[in-house]
Amino acid sequence: GFAVGPYYAYSTLDGDGYDQRLAVGVSAGRPLTARSSLAIHVAHEDIGNLDSRFEFVDGSRQLVGLRYLWLEGPHRLHIRYEFSVDDRSGASVSPIRHGLRAGYQRQLNAHWIAGAELTLRHSNYDDLTEPRREDLAELAIVVARQISRNWQLTGEYRYSNNDSNVSEFSYQRHRA
C-alpha cells in the first residue's frame, strides 16, 4: 500500500506543555511473500516549544525507516531500522540516530498475547562542545489479555541500559 498524510503530536513534561510536532509522512509497502512484507516510511517534522523554558526544542527532524513484517498463524515478527537527524535550537537535543528494533509476538489463545522486543539505538551529538555518543539497549516483555472487543489489559516490563561517553547520561532503568 501507499499512504501520504500529516500528523500532529503534543507532549508534556511534568504536566506543562513541552513540544508540539506537525509532520508529513509518506509510507509505501509491498508484500514479499504471502506471509511477509517490506515497507518504507519517510517523514519531516516541524517541532516547536509550548513554553519559553523549552525553546531549545525548536527545529526539525527528518527520518527514514524500513520495516520487515512476517506473519504465520499465531506468530508475528517485525524488524525495523530507523535513521533520523534532528536539527534543533539546542545541540543537546539534536542527535543523529540509527536504531534497530526486533520484536516477536504470539497469540497464545483467543484472549492472551505474549511478546518481546529488543531495541538497539546509537546516537551522536556532534554539535556539543564535548561531542556525546550514546548506545541504548532495551528489552521489553509484554503480556496482554483481551477483555472485550474494545478493551485490553496489558502488562509490560522494560529494561534499558544507556551507555554514554559522558557519565551523567549513562544509566540503567527498570520500568513496569
Side-chain angles (χ1 to χ4, degrees):
F2 181 78
V4 176
Y7 59 93
Y8 176 79
Y10 172 95
S11 62
T12 61
L13 181 64
D14 290 332
D16 295 325
Y18 178 69
D19 74 4
Q20 62 182 353
R21 298 161 191 252
L22 181 58
V24 64
V26 178
S27 298
R30 66 172 292 139
L32 296 174
T33 68
R35 294 186 281 277
S36 65
S37 63
L38 187 64
I40 185 169
H41 177 74
V42 178
H44 171 84
E45 298 179 344
D46 282 323
I47 303 164
N49 74 78
L50 294 171
D51 185 307
S52 60
R53 294 175 294 164
F54 308 125
E55 288 179 352
F56 60 92
V57 302
D58 290 348
S60 65
R61 170 182 293 143
Q62 287 74 40
L63 63 94
V64 62
L66 293 171
R67 184 200 75 215
Y68 172 79
L69 178 62
W70 175 79
L71 304 168
E72 173 72 34
H75 307 278
R76 176 185 177 107
L77 172 71
H78 71 266
I79 300 171
R80 294 176 186 241
Y81 168 77
E82 188 170 275
F83 173 74
S84 64
V85 177
D86 281 62
D87 184 14
R88 313 276 198 101
S89 294
S92 65
V93 291
S94 295
I96 295 173
R97 287 190 165 144
H98 297 271
L100 184 63
R101 180 175 295 186
Y104 171 77
Q105 191 176 67
R106 177 169 164 79
Q107 183 82 37
L108 301 174
N109 59 36
H111 300 287
W112 288 94
I113 297 170
E117 185 174 72
L118 175 65
T119 301
L120 302 172
R121 186 182 72 201
H122 178 75
S123 303
N124 288 324
Y125 297 81
D126 291 331
D127 294 336
L128 295 169
T129 305
E130 179 186 353
R132 188 170 83 231
R133 308 279 181 266
E134 294 184 9
D135 289 303
L136 173 69
E138 222 169 43
L139 177 63
I141 307 294
V142 179
V143 175
R145 184 177 195 299
Q146 198 70 36
I147 296 171
S148 69
R149 183 174 180 200
N150 297 318
W151 289 91
Q152 184 180 61
L153 181 63
T154 302
E156 177 179 293
Y157 168 76
R158 185 173 298 268
Y159 169 76
S160 304
N161 183 351
N162 196 62
D163 184 34
S164 177
N165 65 318
V166 179
S167 61
E168 68 189 81
F169 293 96
S170 291
Y171 62 85
Q172 291 185 353
R173 178 172 52 201
H174 302 267
R175 289 186 293 183

PDB file of all heavy atoms in Angstrom, residues 30-38 68-71:
ATOM      1  N   ARG A  30       5.013  -3.271   0.314  1.00  0.00           N
ATOM      2  CA  ARG A  30       4.589  -4.297  -0.631  1.00  0.00           C
ATOM      3  C   ARG A  30       4.849  -5.673  -0.044  1.00  0.00           C
ATOM      4  O   ARG A  30       5.785  -5.870   0.716  1.00  0.00           O
ATOM      5  CB  ARG A  30       5.280  -4.139  -1.970  1.00  0.00           C
ATOM      6  CG  ARG A  30       6.768  -4.376  -1.940  1.00  0.00           C
ATOM      7  CD  ARG A  30       7.384  -4.396  -3.318  1.00  0.00           C
ATOM      8  NE  ARG A  30       6.921  -5.557  -4.031  1.00  0.00           N
ATOM      9  CZ  ARG A  30       6.574  -5.561  -5.318  1.00  0.00           C
ATOM     10  NH1 ARG A  30       6.667  -4.466  -6.016  1.00  0.00           N
ATOM     11  NH2 ARG A  30       6.163  -6.652  -5.911  1.00  0.00           N
ATOM     12  N   PRO A  31       4.014  -6.623  -0.409  1.00  0.00           N
ATOM     13  CA  PRO A  31       4.232  -7.997   0.044  1.00  0.00           C
ATOM     14  C   PRO A  31       5.490  -8.580  -0.609  1.00  0.00           C
ATOM     15  O   PRO A  31       5.771  -8.302  -1.774  1.00  0.00           O
ATOM     16  CB  PRO A  31       2.995  -8.750  -0.422  1.00  0.00           C
ATOM     17  CG  PRO A  31       2.066  -7.756  -0.994  1.00  0.00           C
ATOM     18  CD  PRO A  31       2.792  -6.481  -1.176  1.00  0.00           C
ATOM     19  N   LEU A  32       6.222  -9.362   0.148  1.00  0.00           N
ATOM     20  CA  LEU A  32       7.357 -10.104  -0.394  1.00  0.00           C
ATOM     21  C   LEU A  32       6.932 -11.536  -0.705  1.00  0.00           C
ATOM     22  O   LEU A  32       7.329 -12.098  -1.713  1.00  0.00           O
ATOM     23  CB  LEU A  32       8.517 -10.111   0.592  1.00  0.00           C
ATOM     24  CG  LEU A  32       9.126  -8.751   0.911  1.00  0.00           C
ATOM     25  CD1 LEU A  32      10.167  -8.884   1.998  1.00  0.00           C
ATOM     26  CD2 LEU A  32       9.730  -8.121  -0.331  1.00  0.00           C
ATOM     27  N   THR A  33       6.143 -12.094   0.219  1.00  0.00           N
ATOM     28  CA  THR A  33       5.559 -13.429   0.048  1.00  0.00           C
ATOM     29  C   THR A  33       4.130 -13.350   0.573  1.00  0.00           C
ATOM     30  O   THR A  33       3.680 -12.282   0.993  1.00  0.00           O
ATOM     31  CB  THR A  33       6.335 -14.502   0.836  1.00  0.00           C
ATOM     32  OG1 THR A  33       6.145 -14.275   2.235  1.00  0.00           O
ATOM     33  CG2 THR A  33       7.822 -14.489   0.505  1.00  0.00           C
ATOM     34  N   ALA A  34       3.454 -14.470   0.631  1.00  0.00           N
ATOM     35  CA  ALA A  34       2.091 -14.495   1.170  1.00  0.00           C
ATOM     36  C   ALA A  34       2.075 -14.146   2.657  1.00  0.00           C
ATOM     37  O   ALA A  34       1.053 -13.710   3.185  1.00  0.00           O
ATOM     38  CB  ALA A  34       1.470 -15.868   0.950  1.00  0.00           C
ATOM     39  N   ARG A  35       3.218 -14.306   3.356  1.00  0.00           N
ATOM     40  CA  ARG A  35       3.266 -14.084   4.797  1.00  0.00           C
ATOM     41  C   ARG A  35       4.208 -12.970   5.231  1.00  0.00           C
ATOM     42  O   ARG A  35       4.351 -12.730   6.422  1.00  0.00           O
ATOM     43  CB  ARG A  35       3.651 -15.376   5.494  1.00  0.00           C
ATOM     44  CG  ARG A  35       2.611 -16.456   5.369  1.00  0.00           C
ATOM     45  CD  ARG A  35       2.960 -17.674   6.188  1.00  0.00           C
ATOM     46  NE  ARG A  35       3.955 -18.534   5.584  1.00  0.00           N
ATOM     47  CZ  ARG A  35       3.704 -19.457   4.670  1.00  0.00           C
ATOM     48  NH1 ARG A  35       2.488 -19.613   4.222  1.00  0.00           N
ATOM     49  NH2 ARG A  35       4.656 -20.212   4.192  1.00  0.00           N
ATOM     50  N   SER A  36       4.858 -12.285   4.298  1.00  0.00           N
ATOM     51  CA  SER A  36       5.811 -11.248   4.711  1.00  0.00           C
ATOM     52  C   SER A  36       5.673 -10.006   3.840  1.00  0.00           C
ATOM     53  O   SER A  36       5.212 -10.075   2.704  1.00  0.00           O
ATOM     54  CB  SER A  36       7.244 -11.789   4.645  1.00  0.00           C
ATOM     55  OG  SER A  36       7.607 -12.080   3.312  1.00  0.00           O
ATOM     56  N   SER A  37       6.107  -8.882   4.406  1.00  0.00           N
ATOM     57  CA  SER A  37       6.040  -7.621   3.668  1.00  0.00           C
ATOM     58  C   SER A  37       7.210  -6.728   4.068  1.00  0.00           C
ATOM     59  O   SER A  37       7.838  -6.909   5.109  1.00  0.00           O
ATOM     60  CB  SER A  37       4.725  -6.899   3.946  1.00  0.00           C
ATOM     61  OG  SER A  37       4.632  -6.549   5.315  1.00  0.00           O
ATOM     62  N   LEU A  38       7.472  -5.751   3.224  1.00  0.00           N
ATOM     63  CA  LEU A  38       8.521  -4.763   3.445  1.00  0.00           C
ATOM     64  C   LEU A  38       7.908  -3.391   3.228  1.00  0.00           C
ATOM     65  O   LEU A  38       7.130  -3.203   2.289  1.00  0.00           O
ATOM     66  CB  LEU A  38       9.681  -4.988   2.464  1.00  0.00           C
ATOM     67  CG  LEU A  38      10.932  -4.142   2.667  1.00  0.00           C
ATOM     68  CD1 LEU A  38      11.587  -4.456   4.010  1.00  0.00           C
ATOM     69  CD2 LEU A  38      11.918  -4.407   1.535  1.00  0.00           C
ATOM     70  N   TYR A  68      10.321  -4.776   8.141  1.00  0.00           N
ATOM     71  CA  TYR A  68      10.023  -6.115   7.620  1.00  0.00           C
ATOM     72  C   TYR A  68       9.023  -6.740   8.580  1.00  0.00           C
ATOM     73  O   TYR A  68       9.197  -6.693   9.803  1.00  0.00           O
ATOM     74  CB  TYR A  68      11.299  -6.958   7.553  1.00  0.00           C
ATOM     75  CG  TYR A  68      11.028  -8.407   7.219  1.00  0.00           C
ATOM     76  CD1 TYR A  68      10.774  -8.799   5.911  1.00  0.00           C
ATOM     77  CD2 TYR A  68      11.013  -9.370   8.215  1.00  0.00           C
ATOM     78  CE1 TYR A  68      10.512 -10.126   5.600  1.00  0.00           C
ATOM     79  CE2 TYR A  68      10.754 -10.701   7.918  1.00  0.00           C
ATOM     80  CZ  TYR A  68      10.502 -11.065   6.606  1.00  0.00           C
ATOM     81  OH  TYR A  68      10.234 -12.370   6.299  1.00  0.00           O
ATOM     82  N   LEU A  69       7.960  -7.354   8.045  1.00  0.00           N
ATOM     83  CA  LEU A  69       6.935  -7.989   8.860  1.00  0.00           C
ATOM     84  C   LEU A  69       6.680  -9.389   8.334  1.00  0.00           C
ATOM     85  O   LEU A  69       6.539  -9.591   7.125  1.00  0.00           O
ATOM     86  CB  LEU A  69       5.640  -7.164   8.796  1.00  0.00           C
ATOM     87  CG  LEU A  69       4.436  -7.698   9.561  1.00  0.00           C
ATOM     88  CD1 LEU A  69       4.720  -7.766  11.058  1.00  0.00           C
ATOM     89  CD2 LEU A  69       3.224  -6.806   9.296  1.00  0.00           C
ATOM     90  N   TRP A  70       6.644 -10.367   9.265  1.00  0.00           N
ATOM     91  CA  TRP A  70       6.361 -11.756   8.910  1.00  0.00           C
ATOM     92  C   TRP A  70       5.245 -12.246   9.822  1.00  0.00           C
ATOM     93  O   TRP A  70       5.288 -12.074  11.039  1.00  0.00           O
ATOM     94  CB  TRP A  70       7.625 -12.593   9.111  1.00  0.00           C
ATOM     95  CG  TRP A  70       7.434 -14.064   8.893  1.00  0.00           C
ATOM     96  CD1 TRP A  70       7.369 -14.723   7.708  1.00  0.00           C
ATOM     97  CD2 TRP A  70       7.299 -15.062   9.914  1.00  0.00           C
ATOM     98  NE1 TRP A  70       7.200 -16.065   7.921  1.00  0.00           N
ATOM     99  CE2 TRP A  70       7.155 -16.300   9.265  1.00  0.00           C
ATOM    100  CE3 TRP A  70       7.285 -15.020  11.305  1.00  0.00           C
ATOM    101  CZ2 TRP A  70       6.992 -17.488   9.974  1.00  0.00           C
ATOM    102  CZ3 TRP A  70       7.122 -16.195  12.004  1.00  0.00           C
ATOM    103  CH2 TRP A  70       6.978 -17.413  11.337  1.00  0.00           C
ATOM    104  N   LEU A  71       4.222 -12.852   9.229  1.00  0.00           N
ATOM    105  CA  LEU A  71       3.080 -13.395   9.955  1.00  0.00           C
ATOM    106  C   LEU A  71       2.898 -14.858   9.578  1.00  0.00           C
ATOM    107  O   LEU A  71       2.887 -15.195   8.396  1.00  0.00           O
ATOM    108  CB  LEU A  71       1.797 -12.638   9.594  1.00  0.00           C
ATOM    109  CG  LEU A  71       1.805 -11.139   9.809  1.00  0.00           C
ATOM    110  CD1 LEU A  71       0.602 -10.497   9.142  1.00  0.00           C
ATOM    111  CD2 LEU A  71       1.818 -10.820  11.285  1.00  0.00           C
TER     112      LEU A  71
END
